[in-house]
């Protein structure tokens, strides 16, 4: 095997965001772009010679080409073995599962999650550490720093007789001193799921005629969903739709929410709707849960999973604690309080949950952005959440809607919505955030001047700040994680700029209020939050500054 040192110059824009480096496919295709970033990862992690790596992606356009390059670079950088999902495909949760199961040094996941794919779409790459979770900020920062000074990368030349490494046949092949092991990505993951949930009870429920529909959105979960729902749980084959992963996700936007998963939503809200519906995203870590004519808000889903965990096989021993990202509603906090366990509030992004899980402080984690998971792996996990719900449904023998309404009756309802303004000019978005900071003083109470917090109708501001987090395990501090305006009755508005977009800026506004009164629980969230929405638009001057009349996505 011939190893080449290739001279290169840095790119200035290889800063990982909320979840790895995401760019247009065209950006990744620039000469040396992918190689520079991969070498920056290898230089940062300094794996010992012979280390084992996991490699796979969500199957989006450019996945296969990138895997060929990364394998040759891994060989040239001294790795001993790389475990690759068949066809180069691994869902994000399956990658986490495999890293943990085979105790590898780490893994590289190729995905831009829910962002559209195809030649004009997005591509992404992120590094996960030995615990199976996304690299923490200190590593992603070091990778970025390395990318700014890189001068060369190492790559092995492909042998003339085998220019492409075989990815479609299970088993081992050699690349110089390194072994490439193509593994069956579905079976390890399905086995883990079987160890956590009562498959027999779910199978019996399905056999009694309980109907489910899972939308894989032409993305990575199709083969996993078929194996689990159809082969292992006995659901009819048409219970899984859009089940073949396509490099461009069928031209769609593989994000499981009411806007982008409309095909599924129409089925669940149509005549003769199934009892349960669910969808997952491009790389399989997100989930959306639907009942017949009913949508479960992700924040509620986390709370309901926590409140019912004692009914589910793998969680019967109890929960150590719960963690949620700051913008996620406080519904889970109420369950944690009732269970007498801690609830942690972290910045947005799954990487902040890893330390808490490793330290045994939390069992369940969740984000309002359709992410839920537990310490069975170190990523959020779409199919896990779906199975958790099916297990609860099998144990309770009630409809999704009844379960949610009973939950609200017991704990009260944290009415919740998120409004996204996507693709706005960065200047306008930064201007809104700056304005909000400047307004902190006038919005907050000033005891010296004998003035209370600003009053908006019956709502009074209690506090505003830019969220910062001190990790209770390693003490690291993360600042600037979102502007919060909290009112005296506990309602709040949060403003945050997305860290995963690839074009312009995306401003997210998170809205939450608490409604203890059951007679108001039937209200539509947008109706119930109308006053808060008005306040958010007023204090941010959003319409004037962006020229946008309404959000592009409401979840
Ligand atoms: C978004 C979500 C965040 C999630 C991330 C990766 O990040 O808001 O909760 O962890 O995608 O799936 P954002 O674009 O807001 O930075
Ligand atoms: Zn994802």
């Amino acid at each position: 095997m011939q190893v080449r040192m290739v001279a290169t110059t840095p790119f200035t824009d290889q800063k990982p965001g909320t979840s790895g480096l995401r760019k247009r496919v065209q950006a990744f295709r620039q000469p040396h772009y992918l190689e520079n970033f991969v070498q920056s990862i290898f230089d940062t992690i300094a794996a010992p010679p012979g280390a084992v790596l996991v490699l796979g992606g969500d199957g989006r356009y450019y996945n296969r080409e990138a895997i060929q390059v990364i394998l040759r670079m891994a060989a040239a950088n001294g790795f001993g073995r790389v475990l690759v999902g068949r066809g180069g495909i691994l869902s994000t949760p399956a990658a986490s599962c495999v890293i943990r199961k085979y105790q590898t040094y780490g893994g590289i996941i190729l995905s831009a999650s829910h962002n559209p794919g195809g030649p004009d779409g997005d591509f992404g790459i992120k590094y996960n550490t030995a615990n199976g979770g996304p690299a923490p900020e200190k590593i992603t920062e070091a990778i970025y720093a390395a990318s700014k000074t890189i001068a060369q990368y190492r790559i092995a030349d492909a042998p003339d007789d085998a220019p492409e490494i075989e990815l479609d046949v299970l088993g081992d092949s050699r690349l110089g001193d390194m072994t490439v092991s193509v593994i069956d990505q579905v079976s390890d993951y399905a086995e883990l799921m079987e160890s956590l949930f009562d498959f027999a009870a779910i199978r019996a429920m399905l056999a009694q005629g309980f109907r489910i529909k899972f939308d894989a959105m032409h993305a990575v979960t199709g083969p996993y969903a078929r194996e689990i729902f159809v082969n292992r749980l006995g659901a009819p084959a048409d219970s899984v739709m859009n089940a073949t992963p396509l490099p461009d996700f069928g031209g769609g936007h593989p994000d499981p929410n009411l806007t982008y998963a409309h095909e599924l939503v129409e089925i669940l809200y149509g005549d003769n709707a199934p009892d349960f519906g669910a969808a997952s995203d491009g790389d399989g870590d997100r989930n959306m849960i639907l009942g017949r004519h009913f949508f479960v808000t992700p924040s509620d889903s986390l709370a309901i999973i926590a409140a019912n965990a004692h009914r589910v096989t793998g969680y019967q021993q109890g929960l150590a604690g719960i963690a949620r990202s700051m913008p996620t509603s406080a519904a889970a906090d109420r369950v944690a309080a009732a269970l007498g366990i801690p609830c942690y509030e972290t910045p947005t992004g799954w990487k902040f949950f890893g330390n808490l899980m490793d330290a045994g402080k939390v069992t369940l984690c969740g984000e309002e952005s359709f992410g839920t998971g537990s310490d069975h792996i170190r990523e959020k996990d779409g199919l896990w959440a779906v199975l958790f719900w099916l297990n609860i449904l099998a144990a309770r023998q009630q409809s999704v809607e009844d379960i949610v309404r009973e939950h609200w009756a017991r704990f009260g309802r944290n009415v919740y919505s998120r409004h996204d303004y996507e693709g706005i000019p960065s200047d306008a978005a930064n201007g809104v955030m700056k304005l909000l900071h400047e307004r902190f003083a006038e919005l907050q109470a000033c005891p010296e001047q004998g003035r209370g917090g600003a009053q908006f109708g019956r709502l009074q501001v209690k506090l505003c700040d830019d969220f910062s987090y001190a990790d209770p395990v390693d003490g690291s501090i993360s600042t600037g994680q979102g502007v919060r305006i909290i009112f005296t009755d506990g309602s709040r508005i949060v403003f945050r700029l997305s860290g995963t977009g690839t074009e312009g800026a995306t401003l997210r506004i998170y809205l939450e209020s608490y409604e203890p009164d059951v007679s108001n629980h039937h209200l539509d969230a947008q109706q119930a939050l109308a006053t808060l929405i008005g306040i958010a638009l007023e204090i941010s001057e959003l319409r004037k500054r962006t020229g946008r009349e309404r959000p592009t996505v409401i979840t």
Side-chain angles (χ1 to χ4, degrees):
M1 183 184 75
Q2 195 68 32
V3 171
R4 270 189 301 135
M5 303 288 273
V6 180
T8 186
T9 50
F11 291 89
T12 53
D13 65 345
Q14 298 197 322
K15 184 175 168 59
T18 313
S19 182
L21 181 69
R22 289 192 194 166
K23 298 283 172 201
R24 289 273 190 252
V25 167
Q26 283 104 314
F28 271 101
R29 283 191 141 164
Q30 299 169 79
H32 311 306
Y33 194 89
L34 172 70
E35 292 86 343
N36 273 18
F37 191 70
V38 171
Q39 189 64 53
S40 302
I41 294 176
F42 290 157
D43 289 346
T44 301
I45 65 174
V52 183
L53 191 71
V54 169
L55 177 62
D58 59 16
R60 67 178 59 228
Y61 189 84
Y62 196 54
N63 193 55
R64 276 180 177 262
E65 292 93 315
I67 286 188
Q68 296 288 339
V69 170
I70 297 169
L71 284 173
R72 292 193 285 120
M73 289 185 68
N77 278 275
F79 283 89
R81 180 187 293 270
V82 179
L83 307 176
V84 193
R86 187 185 348 208
I89 295 187
L90 272 177
S91 76
T92 292
S96 186
C97 160
V98 171
I99 293 171
R100 293 170 69 78
K101 179 167 178 180
Y102 298 103
Q103 300 181 356
T104 70
Y105 191 79
I108 289 181
I109 302 177
L110 305 175
S111 167
S113 187
H114 49 284
N115 296 11
D120 300 320
D122 286 348
F123 191 74
I125 174 165
K126 70 173 181 165
Y127 179 69
N128 280 31
T129 52
N131 71 349
E137 266 188 339
K138 61 174 186 298
I139 297 183
T140 56
E141 285 299 325
I143 294 171
Y144 177 45
S147 79
K148 289 192 285 192
T149 57
I150 189 167
Q152 56 184 15
Y153 60 83
R154 298 165 165 267
I155 188 159
D157 281 333
D160 289 342
D161 57 337
E164 291 267 287
I165 299 142
E166 174 63 72
L167 298 176
D168 295 312
V169 181
L170 297 181
D172 290 355
S173 58
R174 302 287 292 176
L175 183 59
D177 293 336
M178 188 180 88
T179 304
V180 177
S181 302
V182 176
I183 59 169
D184 174 1
Q185 65 266 38
V186 174
S187 63
D188 286 329
Y189 178 81
E191 228 169 71
L192 177 60
M193 294 300 115
E194 245 183 300
S195 74
L196 297 172
F197 302 110
D198 188 346
F199 271 41
I202 300 173
R203 202 179 300 117
M205 176 176 75
L206 295 174
Q208 283 158 18
F210 184 92
R211 288 188 300 134
I212 66 172
K213 195 74 152 178
F214 177 82
D215 188 352
M217 302 191 82
H218 304 289
V220 77
T221 48
Y224 298 85
R226 261 203 213 115
E227 171 63 19
I228 293 171
F229 300 131
V230 180
N231 299 348
R232 299 199 185 201
L233 291 168
D238 67 357
S239 306
V240 183
M241 60 194 268
N242 299 324
T244 304
L246 300 175
D248 67 348
F249 309 118
H253 198 132
D255 200 1
N257 59 40
L258 295 175
T259 305
Y260 293 125
H262 56 87
E263 204 183 335
L264 176 75
V265 173
E266 276 150 32
I267 294 172
L268 266 292
Y269 280 82
D271 296 338
N272 193 26
D275 301 285
F276 177 82
S280 191
D281 71 328
D283 62 331
D285 56 359
R286 294 187 172 198
N287 74 90
M288 174 171 70
I289 303 292
L290 299 170
R292 182 181 291 145
H293 300 187
F294 196 81
F295 165 66
V296 185
T297 302
S299 295
D300 280 341
S301 177
L302 173 65
I304 291 164
I305 282 175
N308 288 277
H310 61 283
R311 303 172 202 270
V312 173
T313 328
Y315 300 86
Q316 263 154 2
Q317 71 283 15
L319 306 174
I322 306 173
R324 63 163 174 88
S325 66
M326 179 274 282
T328 304
S329 96
D333 303 39
R334 295 175 192 282
V335 177
L339 293 173
I341 56 173
C343 187
Y344 296 85
E345 188 177 32
T346 59
T348 299
W350 209 259
K351 59 181 173 237
F352 294 100
F353 294 136
N355 275 351
L356 296 171
M357 289 191 273
D358 285 351
K361 289 180 180 295
V362 302
T363 309
L364 297 178
C365 303
E367 294 195 272
E368 53 62 45
S369 53
F370 299 81
T372 336
S374 87
D375 61 358
H376 66 293
I377 54 171
R378 293 294 182 275
E379 289 278 5
K380 55 190 180 239
D381 191 343
L383 285 168
W384 170 91
V386 175
L387 286 164
F388 212 120
W389 267 93
L390 289 174
N391 201 146
I392 294 171
L393 289 161
R396 291 187 53 168
Q397 302 279 323
Q398 287 173 286
S399 71
V400 171
E401 178 168 353
D402 286 349
I403 289 174
V404 176
R405 291 200 186 281
E406 272 186 25
H407 185 90
W408 289 342
R410 178 173 168 208
F411 293 96
R413 178 180 176 194
N414 286 73
V415 189
Y416 191 83
S417 183
R418 186 178 98 189
H419 289 199
D420 289 343
Y421 291 79
E422 297 174 311
I424 55 180
S426 295
D427 288 351
N430 293 332
V432 167
M433 296 306 281
K434 185 162 169 278
L435 173 71
L436 290 167
H437 277 104
E438 286 163 5
R439 291 216 153 145
F440 282 178
E442 85 193 58
L443 289 171
Q444 292 203 96
C446 181
E448 290 97 76
Q449 294 174 7
R451 179 168 61 76
Q455 195 82 39
F456 296 88
R458 60 174 183 84
L459 290 175
Q460 186 178 25
V461 175
K462 181 177 164 203
L463 167 106
C464 19
D465 67 1
D466 197 338
F467 182 66
S468 68
Y469 176 68
D471 186 303
V473 179
D474 66 14
S476 57
I477 310 273
S478 303
T479 56
Q481 297 294 329
V483 165
R484 306 190 289 181
I485 297 167
I486 302 175
F487 298 88
T488 48
D489 73 343
S491 311
R492 58 174 196 159
I493 305 170
V494 175
F495 295 86
R496 226 190 113 251
L497 292 181
S498 157
T500 56
T502 53
E503 209 179 270
T506 291
L507 181 71
R508 306 197 194 284
I509 307 180
Y510 310 80
L511 305 136
E512 176 179 359
S513 70
Y514 180 62
E515 179 52 85
D517 184 352
V518 179
S519 66
N520 288 329
H521 285 174
H522 64 284
L523 285 178
D524 169 65
Q526 302 310 314
Q527 235 177 307
L529 294 167
T531 310
L532 276 184
I533 295 170
I535 298 172
L537 293 175
E538 181 188 329
I539 58 181
S540 63
E541 297 180 1
L542 189 98
R543 287 187 171 148
K544 187 179 104 196
R545 286 166 178 265
T546 64
R548 293 286 178 87
E549 279 306 307
R550 59 189 64 81
T552 34
V553 175
I554 294 182
T555 61

